[in-house]
Amino acid sequence: MTAKTLYDKLWDSHLVKQRDDGTALIYIDRQLIHEVTSPQAFEGLRMAGRKPWRVGANLATPDHNVPTSRAERARGVDGIEDSISRIQVKTLDDNCRDFGITEFHINDERQGIVHVIGPEQGATLPGMTVVCGDSHTSTHGAFGALAHGIGTSEVEHVLATQCLIQKKMKNMLVRVDGQLQPGVTAKDVILAIIAEIGTAGGTGYAMEFGGEVIRALSMEGRMTICNMAIEAGARAGMVAVDQTTIDYVKGRPFAPKGAQWEQAVAYWRTLVSDAGARFDRIVEIDGSALKPQVSWGTSPEMVVPVDGRVPDPAQESDPVRKAGIESALKYMGLQAGQAITDIRLDRVFIGSCTNSRIEDLREAAAVVKGRKVAASLKQAMVVPGSGLVKKQAEAEGLDRIFTEAGLEWREPGCSMCLAMNADRLEAGEHCASTSNRNFEGRQGYGGRTHLVSPAMAAAAAIAGHFVNVNDFVKQ
Amino acid sequence: MEKFTVLKGLAAPMDRANVDTDMIIPKQFLKSIRRSGFGLNLFDELRYLDHGEPDQDCTSRPKNPDFVLNQPRYAGASVLLARQNFGCGSSREHAPWALLDYGFRCVIAPSFADIFFNNCFKNGILPIVLDEVVVDQLFREVAAQEGYTLTVNLPDQEIVTPAGQVIPFEVDSFRKHCLIHGLDDIGLTLEDADAIRAFEAKWQQQAPWLFVNP
Ligand code: SF4
């Protein structure tokens, strides 16, 4: 038998039919649904008179549009002030009710960002194929699952057929060996990977993350890494199953129980790339050499270590890249050669499907504990990824640590990650953000995003500018 | 889905690498529950000088004179020339919907992001990957010649420039078939319903825990 990669195994186990033209029908075990990319899919089903193929494979929740202020949330869907957002969330409710799909409603404690609640509920399991009309579906690959984002037409296709039409991707292995230095987190690892291979480096590949550093990470950390595989161009990121995976899944509401648990675990343990499996591309990163990372530009590959400087376009020979640096500097209002630590901040956002899980909040709380947010800051906010993360954080007293330090403690949702709700940057403002995209206008029209880890965002909130979280903690 | 066979259309250049889908259609317009009406907000932040909101009347908004699509010579363009990694970022299908609604039926670039590339085909847009050198040449020619029109022939898989140069391109045979005939691929997949049912039954035996519903 030929050695297989994890991706090969997941692909083979879900292959319904290989067609002569090179495409294949792949069976989908789980579809997560949110309000933004689903209305047109449900509409399509209705117009064609179709029903969901397997209703129970779907799980829905509103996340992108939901307000995060307690006052607005208190009145549920009807309390959403923005009427267009309200209609979209209502439309999700109506569609789920009409088609019989389970939905965690706006104020259900299980509501949250789709990519946080799937794993939290055990609705994401090892060995599954998971899709969602959202590019950060790659997050779920942390469980040894094949998970990727799809468009709305494909959401409809999966609803109607439980399958996707796919072409097999190539295999890439990103191996991070060594040991992370204190203050360097999963977020810094993935930012450094993207800086290394570029935002198109993974295009056409399924990207497996391996090596000592990845093995030593918690599930939260692995999710952070896989979450941003798409920022490196790879639709799917994944990590092999090990004891850490199995321990995390155990006891979750939709995880198998009893005899089925044993049977499942035995199978899950096979979900690793075989020794000698062939990868089309291997990237090696020395984890020991990494420092905390900060993005300076308008693409997630525009990243430097915190002690670095904003690059100088004069030193770039490729004309397209040079133009990219120039336009990013202009948009970001930065000078070539400026020290990263000299960037003054206006707001800090801790949240998003990249970094809003309990471990992220603990990391941030450890930094701000007993300190105060810089007076120069207009706002610093913490938005938990789900109602259950929020509850857990409150049980641990993290909410008080944040509010005493001067950070706002919000209701769960996507929030200022993409600013579809009221949480957003004003034009020209600089924000230290734990989210995943620093595109122009992403966090608000004219807003300037710097991607960092939760610990770095927390340190920046206290200092009012970027600092190496390590120096800061020692002070 | 509208069929795509031969398109003769004015080309417009979008001379910038890594154009992301947030740039193609900003998030505030994603609140719509419809599939159409996004054309007025295509490239909204580049195209207008003010901040756009859904349901706003765009005719009175200040336009950015420096933005390429605002130049009269590109009015009515249906072929978009683009740079590497076009359509990266968010999976929003609103991006191809906006391009289509604006009038683009074909995008030519040295490379595309995977999800965007796929979403184009589902909406009757043909994304074509050409060698960087060839794309460079097209960018030079479109800048030099007003009214630069390309003929994109999908059945023959070739582009013809105004000078008569023939540029062949690759396209996946299944996607080509669907585009030429304007086929809904859900209908096609359902022709394999028996195979799906057979797979499902076998899979449920092997991994019953995956069939525990939320
Ligand atoms: S948190 Fe941000 S990246 Fe994640 S699903 Fe929400 S909007 Fe998308």
Side-chain angles (χ1 to χ4, degrees):
Chain A
M1 223 176 66
T2 49
K4 288 182 178 181
T5 63
L6 170 58
Y7 172 60
D8 295 338
K9 291 180 184 180
L10 293 167
W11 173 271
D12 290 350
S13 62
H14 289 83
L15 183 63
V16 173
K17 187 176 177 179
Q18 180 70 52
R19 293 173 169 158
D20 300 337
D21 57 18
T23 61
L25 276 187
I26 291 294
Y27 189 79
I28 302 302
D29 296 313
R30 177 74 69 222
Q31 172 154 254
L32 299 165
I33 293 174
H34 65 81
E35 77 278 21
V36 178
T37 54
S38 66
Q40 298 86 353
F42 284 114
E43 188 57 25
L45 277 192
R46 266 193 203 96
M47 275 170 15
R50 291 178 175 132
K51 294 220 158 4
W53 179 280
R54 182 156 78 85
V55 169
N58 301 284
L59 177 62
T61 199
D63 54 4
H64 285 62
N65 272 290
V66 299
T68 62
S69 78
R70 192 161 306 174
E72 225 180 312
R73 267 304 253 281
R75 291 192 297 121
V77 184
D78 294 327
I80 303 177
E81 280 164 20
D82 177 337
S83 62
I84 310 179
S85 292
R86 185 168 66 237
I87 290 169
Q88 200 167 50
V89 175
K90 275 198 164 142
T91 303
L92 179 69
D93 290 353
D94 293 347
N95 283 327
C96 289
R97 190 197 53 231
D98 292 355
F99 287 97
I101 290 169
T102 302
E103 181 193 354
F104 297 160
H105 293 94
I106 183 166
N107 284 345
D108 188 313
E109 70 173 7
R110 299 168 299 175
Q111 177 272 343
I113 305 170
V114 273
H115 311 308
V116 174
I117 69 160
E120 186 172 79
Q121 292 294 322
T124 302
L125 294 172
M128 267 186 170
T129 43
V130 181
V131 295
C132 174
D134 191 286
S135 58
H136 292 102
T137 310
S138 57
T139 311
H140 308 262
F143 289 82
L146 175 56
H148 55 73
I150 56 178
T152 297
S153 296
E154 289 176 313
V155 171
E156 183 182 340
H157 191 279
V158 172
L159 279 167
T161 70
Q162 212 55 46
C163 289
L164 262 188
I165 301 168
Q166 291 280 286
K167 264 193 143 171
K168 198 170 175 201
M169 296 180 269
K170 289 179 285 182
N171 279 289
M172 184 188 295
L173 175 64
V174 178
R175 191 162 48 215
V176 192
D177 281 316
Q179 228 190 341
L180 296 183
Q181 292 172 29
V184 180
T185 67
K187 182 66 165 285
D188 303 301
V189 173
I190 187 62
L191 286 174
I193 291 171
I194 300 164
E196 168 84 19
I197 69 171
T199 51
T203 304
Y205 290 94
M207 194 181 273
E208 179 175 343
F209 299 96
E212 290 158 22
V213 165
I214 307 295
R215 294 261 69 84
L217 285 176
S218 65
M219 285 315 294
E220 282 89 346
R222 294 176 190 182
M223 284 189 256
T224 300
I225 301 244
C226 290
N227 175 272
M228 290 189 75
I230 184 66
E231 258 55 67
R235 291 181 79 172
M238 62 193 78
V239 174
V241 173
D242 62 8
Q243 194 59 39
T244 306
T245 324
I246 292 165
D247 291 345
Y248 182 97
V249 171
K250 194 170 175 115
R252 306 256 157 202
F254 304 120
K257 314 239 154 24
Q260 268 190 10
W261 170 258
E262 298 304 327
Q263 194 191 344
V265 168
Y267 170 59
W268 293 344
R269 289 200 189 277
T270 68
L271 298 173
V272 297
S273 288
D274 296 330
R278 205 189 135 270
F279 287 91
D280 301 281
R281 184 174 174 200
I282 296 179
V283 175
E284 287 174 348
I285 306 268
D286 178 7
S288 308
L290 297 180
K291 294 183 179 155
Q293 309 281 316
V294 180
S295 80
W296 59 268
T298 53
S299 161
E301 69 188 27
M302 293 174 165
V303 167
V304 290
V306 59
D307 58 3
R309 291 179 178 276
V310 174
D312 185 350
Q315 287 169 13
E316 176 61 58
S317 52
D318 179 282
V320 175
R321 287 181 68 94
K322 185 183 173 123
I325 295 174
E326 279 166 354
S327 99
L329 287 182
K330 186 163 167 243
Y331 180 84
M332 295 296 289
L334 296 173
Q335 303 300 319
Q338 184 178 350
I340 291 294
T341 46
D342 285 344
I343 299 173
R344 300 263 142 205
L345 296 164
D346 301 289
R347 295 184 203 256
V348 169
F349 171 65
I350 298 174
S352 90
C353 58
T354 317
N355 284 125
S356 64
R357 299 176 184 84
I358 189 67
E359 189 177 280
D360 302 312
L361 303 189
R362 286 180 191 139
E363 243 172 49
V367 175
V368 302
K369 187 170 187 173
R371 297 184 162 95
K372 290 273 182 241
V373 166
S376 56
L377 234 55
K378 290 185 192 149
Q379 185 184 36
M381 60 198 287
V382 186
V383 185
S386 72
L388 290 171
V389 169
K390 178 167 185 266
K391 190 168 153 184
Q392 172 72 23
E394 287 173 355
E396 295 178 19
L398 304 185
D399 58 323
R400 282 196 311 282
I401 295 176
F402 288 127
T403 50
E404 278 163 20
L407 292 102
E408 298 170 17
W409 179 242
R410 296 289 195 126
E411 300 298 308
C414 293
S415 180
M416 211 201 276
C417 172
L418 95 165
M420 270 186 88
N421 68 359
D423 312 337
R424 60 182 71 163
L425 301 180
E426 298 292 329
E429 288 180 349
H430 287 269
C431 176
S433 176
T434 65
S435 56
N436 43 42
R437 288 193 174 135
N438 51 353
F439 299 152
E440 290 184 16
R442 172 79 179 181
Q443 292 194 287
Y445 182 69
R448 295 159 170 169
T449 302
H450 300 276
L451 305 174
V452 287
S453 73
M456 283 286 289
I462 304 300
H465 57 89
F466 287 112
V467 284
N468 186 331
V469 56
N470 286 330
D471 306 344
F472 181 79
V473 169
K474 275 181 230 142
Q475 274 171 24
Chain B
M1 186 175 84
E2 206 181 321
K3 292 180 185 171
F4 191 116
T5 49
V6 179
L7 169 74
K8 190 165 192 291
L10 183 69
M14 182 73 195
D15 195 0
R16 167 170 192 156
N18 298 315
V19 169
D20 56 72
T21 54
D22 278 68
M23 204 181 283
I24 297 173
I25 182 86
K27 87 287 285 205
Q28 63 271 32
F29 306 107
L30 273 48
K31 296 178 187 181
S32 167
I33 55 173
R34 296 178 303 139
R35 247 175 216 269
S36 56
F38 297 104
L40 284 169
N41 302 108
L42 175 72
F43 296 120
D44 199 272
E45 294 187 358
L46 301 173
R47 193 162 152 198
Y48 303 97
L49 292 169
D50 64 344
H51 176 58
E53 284 297 335
D55 292 343
Q56 189 181 6
D57 174 15
C58 290
T59 51
S60 54
R61 294 177 60 195
K63 292 209 170 64
N64 177 0
D66 297 335
F67 181 57
V68 62
L69 295 183
N70 287 337
Q71 298 175 23
R73 60 179 286 196
Y74 295 119
S78 57
V79 179
L80 186 66
L81 291 183
R83 294 293 187 184
Q84 70 214 32
N85 202 25
F86 188 81
C88 61
S90 154
S91 61
R92 59 189 68 165
E93 201 159 313
H94 312 67
W97 293 339
L99 287 165
L100 187 67
D101 204 56
Y102 184 91
F104 287 113
R105 292 295 310 277
C106 175
V107 187
I108 300 172
S111 62
F112 292 90
D114 287 340
I115 302 179
F116 174 82
F117 188 73
N118 199 27
N119 283 342
C120 281
F121 285 101
K122 310 270 180 190
N123 293 283
I125 297 176
L126 174 62
I128 299 177
V129 178
L130 293 181
D131 197 80
E132 189 130 28
V133 180
V134 180
V135 175
D136 267 342
Q137 177 208 325
L138 296 179
F139 265 99
R140 276 197 308 274
E141 292 181 1
V142 81
Q145 182 185 338
E146 200 157 322
Y148 186 82
T149 301
L150 293 172
T151 303
V152 182
N153 184 321
L154 177 57
D156 293 347
Q157 295 185 214
E158 60 186 32
I159 300 169
V160 184
T161 69
Q165 184 193 351
V166 176
I167 304 167
F169 63 87
E170 295 290 319
V171 60
D172 176 281
S173 60
F174 174 73
R175 286 165 160 163
K176 176 178 172 180
H177 176 76
C178 289
L179 265 187
I180 289 179
H181 299 283
L183 294 178
D184 154 20
D185 57 8
I186 294 180
L188 286 177
T189 300
L190 287 174
E191 288 175 12
D192 283 320
D194 289 343
I196 302 171
R197 260 182 232 109
F199 174 90
E200 201 166 46
K202 181 196 75 178
W203 190 227
Q204 186 162 8
Q205 287 261 308
Q206 278 176 24
W209 58 87
L210 294 178
F211 291 77
V212 177
N213 298 335

